[in-house]
Amino acid sequence: MTAQRPEQPTPDYVPAHNLLNGKVVVVTAAAGAGIGASVVRRVLEEGASAVVLGDTHERRLAEAQEELSGEFGADRVRSLVCDVTNEEQVKAPRRRGRRVRWRRHHDQQCGARWHRLRA
């Protein structure tokens, strides 16, 4: 027989600590309702100056950009249709970032791997 655990209270939402002030973050698989979307929201709460959303679902990507732009400001949210199984498409946000001279990149590939890029 499996022991029943007592119900635990839901912890309070952790307030932002401005850990990403002035940073630009690229998040792939960001247009749904899963981890990628949660990462985007938290990154914006942590003060990132811009987030580039990447996903293969163009319609959901546009909807996510519209919603987040309304909440956090259109100047902080950008989108790019991107399939992480295609290396050229994965490189596109990095090239785009260098073109506008973003100083530092944090690249979050949900469902693939986590890594940090330095320009």
Side-chain angles (χ1 to χ4, degrees):
M1 176 176 244
T2 306
Q4 294 258 338
R5 289 183 163 180
E7 188 172 323
Q8 299 292 318
T10 303
D12 293 332
Y13 190 77
V14 178
H17 293 91
N18 296 317
L19 298 173
L20 297 172
N21 271 352
K23 306 295 187 233
V24 174
V25 181
V26 176
V27 182
T28 60
I35 294 171
S38 296
V39 168
V40 169
R41 181 166 299 285
R42 187 60 186 193
V43 160
L44 288 164
E45 290 171 356
E46 286 292 346
S49 62
V51 175
V52 178
L53 309 173
D55 206 295
T56 58
H57 302 282
E58 194 169 352
R59 179 189 53 80
R60 288 192 326 201
L61 191 60
E63 291 169 357
Q65 181 178 8
E66 183 179 338
E67 178 186 339
L68 292 165
S69 293
E71 188 173 343
F72 294 100
D75 58 324
R76 294 178 64 199
V77 182
R78 297 171 178 91
S79 66
L80 180 67
V81 176
C82 177
D83 178 358
V84 296
T85 65
N86 181 317
E87 188 173 345
E88 286 304 311
Q89 289 185 25
V90 171
K91 290 178 181 178
R94 296 178 195 158
R95 286 193 301 265
R96 179 179 177 182
R98 288 190 183 107
R99 189 167 55 239
V100 295
R101 299 178 191 211
W102 292 336
R103 291 188 306 267
R104 189 168 195 163
H105 307 271
H106 294 271
D107 189 351
Q108 169 70 51
Q109 293 184 345
C110 297
R113 65 184 181 276
W114 300 53
H115 63 277
R116 176 182 281 176
L117 300 174
R118 289 187 176 95

